Amino acid sequence: MEPGHAQGQVKGDNQRPGKPVLTEPGDGSANVALVSVLRSDLFTDPDVGDFHTETRWQVSSNTEFSDLVLDLQSATFLTQLPLLDYILEPDRTYWWRVRYFDDHAAASEWSTTSSFMTVLSVDDDLDGDGVPDAQGVGFEVDLDENGVPDPVTLAN
């Protein structure tokens, strides 16, 4: 950081961070779980020494982003954002985008918008864990690969 410039203050010669790239779910993905994670690529900035301080995440039910399901600016969730229960609905298409902020409060361009479609119905998730049952881990799982199924504990 240059002398005389407080963190979060835009300096005159500061360049914007690089435009983020959305990585997961991929554009046009189908059967995305209602409880899932949005991921973007790593932060880049043409100014040597600038660092990633915040990310703004938006999820919308339309391409114009006029009906936001989620609008969050976070200093914690910089390149991945967990989507918790009750944000997404089944059998819906959503569009999402992100923008990065550097330590001088300069904002990147918005990422290219990406879309995904959620699981077809909550009936695909009979155990209510937010993961379609077809994508979930079965009861006969051998995580430690010792040839013996590991015990599975079900949450109440």
CSV table of all heavy atoms in Angstrom, one decimal, residues 29-67:
chain,number,residue,atom,x,y,z
A,29,SER,N,-25.6,-25.7,-16.0
A,29,SER,CA,-25.7,-26.9,-15.2
A,29,SER,C,-27.1,-27.2,-14.8
A,29,SER,O,-27.9,-26.3,-14.5
A,29,SER,CB,-24.9,-26.8,-13.9
A,29,SER,OG,-23.5,-26.7,-14.2
A,30,ALA,N,-27.4,-28.5,-14.7
A,30,ALA,CA,-28.8,-28.9,-14.3
A,30,ALA,C,-28.6,-29.8,-13.0
A,30,ALA,O,-27.6,-30.3,-12.7
A,30,ALA,CB,-29.4,-29.8,-15.4
A,31,ASN,N,-29.7,-29.9,-12.3
A,31,ASN,CA,-29.8,-30.7,-11.1
A,31,ASN,C,-28.9,-30.3,-10.0
A,31,ASN,O,-28.3,-31.1,-9.3
A,31,ASN,CB,-29.6,-32.2,-11.4
A,31,ASN,CG,-30.7,-32.8,-12.2
A,31,ASN,OD1,-31.9,-32.5,-12.0
A,31,ASN,ND2,-30.4,-33.6,-13.2
A,32,VAL,N,-28.7,-28.9,-9.9
A,32,VAL,CA,-27.9,-28.4,-8.9
A,32,VAL,C,-28.6,-28.5,-7.5
A,32,VAL,O,-29.8,-28.2,-7.5
A,32,VAL,CB,-27.5,-26.9,-9.2
A,32,VAL,CG1,-26.8,-26.3,-8.0
A,32,VAL,CG2,-26.7,-26.8,-10.4
A,33,ALA,N,-28.0,-29.0,-6.5
A,33,ALA,CA,-28.6,-29.2,-5.2
A,33,ALA,C,-29.0,-27.9,-4.6
A,33,ALA,O,-28.4,-26.8,-4.9
A,33,ALA,CB,-27.6,-29.9,-4.3
A,34,LEU,N,-30.1,-27.9,-3.8
A,34,LEU,CA,-30.6,-26.7,-3.2
A,34,LEU,C,-29.6,-26.2,-2.2
A,34,LEU,O,-29.6,-25.0,-1.9
A,34,LEU,CB,-32.0,-27.0,-2.6
A,34,LEU,CG,-33.1,-27.4,-3.5
A,34,LEU,CD1,-34.4,-27.7,-2.7
A,34,LEU,CD2,-33.3,-26.5,-4.7
A,35,VAL,N,-28.9,-27.0,-1.6
A,35,VAL,CA,-27.8,-26.6,-0.7
A,35,VAL,C,-26.5,-26.9,-1.4
A,35,VAL,O,-26.1,-28.1,-1.6
A,35,VAL,CB,-27.8,-27.4,0.7
A,35,VAL,CG1,-26.6,-27.1,1.5
A,35,VAL,CG2,-29.1,-27.1,1.4
A,36,SER,N,-25.8,-25.9,-1.9
A,36,SER,CA,-24.6,-26.1,-2.7
A,36,SER,C,-23.7,-25.0,-2.5
A,36,SER,O,-23.8,-24.2,-1.6
A,36,SER,CB,-25.0,-26.2,-4.2
A,36,SER,OG,-25.8,-25.1,-4.6
A,37,VAL,N,-22.6,-24.9,-3.3
A,37,VAL,CA,-21.6,-23.9,-3.2
A,37,VAL,C,-21.3,-23.2,-4.5
A,37,VAL,O,-21.2,-23.9,-5.5
A,37,VAL,CB,-20.3,-24.5,-2.7
A,37,VAL,CG1,-19.2,-23.4,-2.6
A,37,VAL,CG2,-20.5,-25.1,-1.3
A,38,LEU,N,-21.3,-21.9,-4.6
A,38,LEU,CA,-20.9,-21.2,-5.8
A,38,LEU,C,-19.4,-20.9,-5.7
A,38,LEU,O,-18.9,-20.6,-4.6
A,38,LEU,CB,-21.7,-19.8,-5.8
A,38,LEU,CG,-23.2,-19.9,-5.9
A,38,LEU,CD1,-23.8,-18.5,-5.9
A,38,LEU,CD2,-23.7,-20.7,-7.1
A,39,ARG,N,-18.7,-21.1,-6.8
A,39,ARG,CA,-17.3,-20.9,-6.8
A,39,ARG,C,-16.8,-20.0,-7.9
A,39,ARG,O,-17.4,-20.2,-9.1
A,39,ARG,CB,-16.5,-22.2,-6.8
A,39,ARG,CG,-16.7,-23.0,-5.6
A,39,ARG,CD,-15.8,-24.3,-5.7
A,39,ARG,NE,-15.8,-25.0,-4.4
A,39,ARG,CZ,-16.7,-25.9,-4.0
A,39,ARG,NH1,-17.7,-26.2,-4.7
A,39,ARG,NH2,-16.6,-26.4,-2.8
A,40,SER,N,-15.8,-19.2,-7.7
A,40,SER,CA,-15.3,-18.3,-8.7
A,40,SER,C,-13.7,-18.5,-8.7
A,40,SER,O,-13.2,-19.1,-7.8
A,40,SER,CB,-15.6,-16.9,-8.5
A,40,SER,OG,-15.2,-16.4,-7.3
A,41,ASP,N,-13.1,-18.0,-9.7
A,41,ASP,CA,-11.6,-18.2,-9.8
A,41,ASP,C,-10.9,-17.3,-8.9
A,41,ASP,O,-11.5,-16.5,-8.1
A,41,ASP,CB,-11.1,-17.9,-11.3
A,41,ASP,CG,-11.3,-16.5,-11.7
A,41,ASP,OD1,-12.1,-15.8,-11.1
A,41,ASP,OD2,-10.6,-16.1,-12.6
A,42,LEU,N,-9.6,-17.4,-8.8
A,42,LEU,CA,-8.8,-16.5,-8.0
A,42,LEU,C,-8.7,-15.1,-8.4
A,42,LEU,O,-8.9,-14.8,-9.6
A,42,LEU,CB,-7.3,-17.1,-7.9
A,42,LEU,CG,-7.2,-18.5,-7.3
A,42,LEU,CD1,-5.7,-19.0,-7.4
A,42,LEU,CD2,-7.7,-18.5,-5.9
A,43,PHE,N,-8.6,-14.2,-7.4
A,43,PHE,CA,-8.5,-12.8,-7.6
A,43,PHE,C,-7.2,-12.4,-8.4
A,43,PHE,O,-6.1,-13.0,-8.1
A,43,PHE,CB,-8.5,-12.1,-6.2
A,43,PHE,CG,-8.2,-10.6,-6.2
A,43,PHE,CD1,-9.3,-9.8,-6.4
A,43,PHE,CD2,-6.9,-10.1,-6.0
A,43,PHE,CE1,-9.0,-8.4,-6.4
A,43,PHE,CE2,-6.7,-8.8,-6.0
A,43,PHE,CZ,-7.8,-7.9,-6.1
A,44,THR,N,-7.3,-11.5,-9.3
A,44,THR,CA,-6.2,-10.9,-10.0
A,44,THR,C,-6.3,-9.4,-10.0
A,44,THR,O,-7.4,-8.9,-10.0
A,44,THR,CB,-6.0,-11.4,-11.5
A,44,THR,OG1,-7.2,-11.1,-12.2
A,44,THR,CG2,-5.9,-13.0,-11.5
A,45,ASP,N,-5.2,-8.7,-10.1
A,45,ASP,CA,-5.2,-7.3,-10.1
A,45,ASP,C,-3.9,-6.8,-10.8
A,45,ASP,O,-2.8,-7.3,-10.5
A,45,ASP,CB,-5.2,-6.7,-8.7
A,45,ASP,CG,-5.6,-5.3,-8.6
A,45,ASP,OD1,-4.8,-4.5,-9.2
A,45,ASP,OD2,-6.6,-4.9,-8.0
A,46,PRO,N,-4.0,-5.9,-11.7
A,46,PRO,CA,-2.8,-5.4,-12.4
A,46,PRO,C,-1.9,-4.6,-11.6
A,46,PRO,O,-0.7,-4.5,-11.9
A,46,PRO,CB,-3.4,-4.6,-13.6
A,46,PRO,CG,-4.8,-4.2,-13.2
A,46,PRO,CD,-5.3,-5.3,-12.2
A,47,ASP,N,-2.4,-4.1,-10.4
A,47,ASP,CA,-1.5,-3.4,-9.5
A,47,ASP,C,-0.8,-4.3,-8.6
A,47,ASP,O,-1.4,-5.1,-7.8
A,47,ASP,CB,-2.3,-2.4,-8.7
A,47,ASP,CG,-3.0,-1.3,-9.5
A,47,ASP,OD1,-2.3,-0.7,-10.3
A,47,ASP,OD2,-4.2,-1.1,-9.3
A,48,VAL,N,0.5,-4.3,-8.6
A,48,VAL,CA,1.3,-5.2,-7.8
A,48,VAL,C,1.1,-4.8,-6.3
A,48,VAL,O,1.1,-3.7,-5.9
A,48,VAL,CB,2.9,-5.0,-8.1
A,48,VAL,CG1,3.7,-5.8,-7.1
A,48,VAL,CG2,3.1,-5.4,-9.5
A,49,GLY,N,0.8,-5.8,-5.5
A,49,GLY,CA,0.6,-5.6,-4.1
A,49,GLY,C,-0.9,-5.4,-3.7
A,49,GLY,O,-1.2,-5.5,-2.5
A,50,ASP,N,-1.8,-5.2,-4.6
A,50,ASP,CA,-3.2,-5.1,-4.3
A,50,ASP,C,-3.7,-6.5,-3.9
A,50,ASP,O,-3.3,-7.5,-4.5
A,50,ASP,CB,-4.0,-4.5,-5.4
A,50,ASP,CG,-3.8,-3.0,-5.6
A,50,ASP,OD1,-3.0,-2.4,-4.8
A,50,ASP,OD2,-4.6,-2.4,-6.4
A,51,PHE,N,-4.6,-6.5,-3.0
A,51,PHE,CA,-5.2,-7.8,-2.6
A,51,PHE,C,-6.7,-7.7,-2.5
A,51,PHE,O,-7.3,-6.7,-2.5
A,51,PHE,CB,-4.5,-8.2,-1.2
A,51,PHE,CG,-4.7,-7.3,-0.1
A,51,PHE,CD1,-5.8,-7.4,0.8
A,51,PHE,CD2,-3.7,-6.3,0.1
A,51,PHE,CE1,-5.9,-6.5,1.8
A,51,PHE,CE2,-3.9,-5.4,1.2
A,51,PHE,CZ,-4.9,-5.5,2.1
A,52,HIS,N,-7.3,-8.9,-2.5
A,52,HIS,CA,-8.7,-9.1,-2.5
A,52,HIS,C,-9.3,-8.9,-1.1
A,52,HIS,O,-8.9,-9.6,-0.2
A,52,HIS,CB,-8.9,-10.6,-2.9
A,52,HIS,CG,-10.3,-11.0,-3.3
A,52,HIS,ND1,-10.6,-12.2,-3.7
A,52,HIS,CD2,-11.5,-10.3,-3.4
A,52,HIS,CE1,-11.9,-12.3,-4.0
A,52,HIS,NE2,-12.4,-11.1,-3.8
A,53,THR,N,-10.2,-7.9,-1.0
A,53,THR,CA,-10.8,-7.6,0.3
A,53,THR,C,-12.3,-8.0,0.4
A,53,THR,O,-12.7,-8.4,1.5
A,53,THR,CB,-10.7,-6.1,0.7
A,53,THR,OG1,-11.3,-5.4,-0.3
A,53,THR,CG2,-9.2,-5.7,0.8
A,54,GLU,N,-13.0,-8.0,-0.7
A,54,GLU,CA,-14.4,-8.3,-0.7
A,54,GLU,C,-14.9,-8.9,-2.0
A,54,GLU,O,-14.3,-8.6,-3.0
A,54,GLU,CB,-15.3,-7.1,-0.3
A,54,GLU,CG,-15.1,-6.6,1.1
A,54,GLU,CD,-16.1,-5.5,1.5
A,54,GLU,OE1,-16.2,-4.6,0.7
A,54,GLU,OE2,-16.7,-5.7,2.5
A,55,THR,N,-16.0,-9.6,-1.9
A,55,THR,CA,-16.7,-10.1,-3.2
A,55,THR,C,-18.1,-9.8,-3.0
A,55,THR,O,-18.7,-10.0,-1.9
A,55,THR,CB,-16.4,-11.6,-3.4
A,55,THR,OG1,-15.0,-11.8,-3.5
A,55,THR,CG2,-17.2,-12.1,-4.6
A,56,ARG,N,-18.8,-9.3,-4.1
A,56,ARG,CA,-20.2,-9.2,-4.1
A,56,ARG,C,-20.8,-10.3,-4.9
A,56,ARG,O,-20.4,-10.5,-6.1
A,56,ARG,CB,-20.6,-7.8,-4.7
A,56,ARG,CG,-22.1,-7.6,-4.6
A,56,ARG,CD,-22.5,-6.2,-4.8
A,56,ARG,NE,-23.9,-6.0,-4.8
A,56,ARG,CZ,-24.5,-4.9,-5.2
A,56,ARG,NH1,-23.8,-3.9,-5.6
A,56,ARG,NH2,-25.8,-4.8,-5.1
A,57,TRP,N,-21.7,-11.1,-4.3
A,57,TRP,CA,-22.4,-12.2,-4.9
A,57,TRP,C,-23.8,-11.9,-5.2
A,57,TRP,O,-24.5,-11.3,-4.3
A,57,TRP,CB,-22.3,-13.4,-4.0
A,57,TRP,CG,-21.0,-13.9,-3.5
A,57,TRP,CD1,-20.2,-13.4,-2.5
A,57,TRP,CD2,-20.2,-14.9,-4.2
A,57,TRP,NE1,-19.0,-14.1,-2.5
A,57,TRP,CE2,-19.0,-15.0,-3.4
A,57,TRP,CE3,-20.5,-15.8,-5.2
A,57,TRP,CZ2,-18.0,-15.9,-3.8
A,57,TRP,CZ3,-19.5,-16.7,-5.5
A,57,TRP,CH2,-18.3,-16.8,-4.8
A,58,GLN,N,-24.3,-12.2,-6.4
A,58,GLN,CA,-25.7,-12.0,-6.7
A,58,GLN,C,-26.3,-13.2,-7.4
A,58,GLN,O,-25.6,-13.8,-8.3
A,58,GLN,CB,-26.0,-10.8,-7.6
A,58,GLN,CG,-25.7,-9.4,-6.9
A,58,GLN,CD,-26.2,-8.3,-7.7
A,58,GLN,OE1,-26.2,-8.3,-9.0
A,58,GLN,NE2,-26.5,-7.2,-7.1
A,59,VAL,N,-27.4,-13.6,-6.9
A,59,VAL,CA,-28.2,-14.7,-7.5
A,59,VAL,C,-29.6,-14.2,-7.8
A,59,VAL,O,-30.2,-13.5,-6.9
A,59,VAL,CB,-28.3,-16.0,-6.6
A,59,VAL,CG1,-29.2,-17.0,-7.3
A,59,VAL,CG2,-26.9,-16.5,-6.2
A,60,SER,N,-30.1,-14.4,-9.0
A,60,SER,CA,-31.4,-13.8,-9.4
A,60,SER,C,-32.2,-14.9,-10.1
A,60,SER,O,-31.7,-15.8,-10.7
A,60,SER,CB,-31.1,-12.6,-10.4
A,60,SER,OG,-32.3,-12.1,-10.8
A,61,SER,N,-33.5,-14.6,-10.1
A,61,SER,CA,-34.4,-15.5,-10.8
A,61,SER,C,-34.7,-15.0,-12.2
A,61,SER,O,-35.5,-15.6,-12.9
A,61,SER,CB,-35.8,-15.7,-10.0
A,61,SER,OG,-36.4,-14.4,-9.9
A,62,ASN,N,-34.0,-13.9,-12.6
A,62,ASN,CA,-34.1,-13.4,-14.0
A,62,ASN,C,-32.8,-12.9,-14.5
A,62,ASN,O,-31.9,-12.6,-13.7
A,62,ASN,CB,-35.3,-12.4,-14.2
A,62,ASN,CG,-35.0,-11.2,-13.4
A,62,ASN,OD1,-33.9,-10.6,-13.3
A,62,ASN,ND2,-36.1,-10.7,-12.8
A,63,THR,N,-32.7,-12.8,-15.8
A,63,THR,CA,-31.4,-12.4,-16.4
A,63,THR,C,-31.1,-10.9,-16.2
A,63,THR,O,-29.9,-10.5,-16.3
A,63,THR,CB,-31.4,-12.7,-17.9
A,63,THR,OG1,-32.5,-11.9,-18.5
A,63,THR,CG2,-31.5,-14.1,-18.2
A,64,GLU,N,-32.0,-10.1,-15.8
A,64,GLU,CA,-31.8,-8.7,-15.6
A,64,GLU,C,-31.3,-8.4,-14.2
A,64,GLU,O,-31.0,-7.2,-13.9
A,64,GLU,CB,-33.1,-7.8,-15.9
A,64,GLU,CG,-33.5,-7.9,-17.3
A,64,GLU,CD,-34.3,-9.1,-17.6
A,64,GLU,OE1,-35.0,-9.7,-16.7
A,64,GLU,OE2,-34.3,-9.6,-18.8
A,65,PHE,N,-31.4,-9.4,-13.3
A,65,PHE,CA,-31.0,-9.2,-11.9
A,65,PHE,C,-31.9,-8.2,-11.2
A,65,PHE,O,-31.5,-7.5,-10.3
A,65,PHE,CB,-29.5,-8.9,-11.7
A,65,PHE,CG,-28.6,-10.1,-12.0
A,65,PHE,CD1,-28.3,-10.4,-13.3
A,65,PHE,CD2,-28.2,-10.9,-11.0
A,65,PHE,CE1,-27.5,-11.5,-13.6
A,65,PHE,CE2,-27.4,-12.0,-11.2
A,65,PHE,CZ,-27.1,-12.3,-12.5
A,66,SER,N,-33.2,-8.1,-11.6
A,66,SER,CA,-34.1,-7.3,-11.0
A,66,SER,C,-34.9,-8.0,-9.9
A,66,SER,O,-35.6,-7.4,-9.1
A,66,SER,CB,-35.1,-6.7,-12.1
A,66,SER,OG,-35.8,-7.7,-12.7
A,67,ASP,N,-34.8,-9.3,-9.9
A,67,ASP,CA,-35.5,-10.1,-8.8
A,67,ASP,C,-34.4,-10.9,-8.1
A,67,ASP,O,-34.2,-12.1,-8.4
A,67,ASP,CB,-36.5,-11.0,-9.4
A,67,ASP,CG,-37.3,-11.7,-8.4
A,67,ASP,OD1,-37.3,-11.3,-7.2
A,67,ASP,OD2,-38.0,-12.7,-8.8
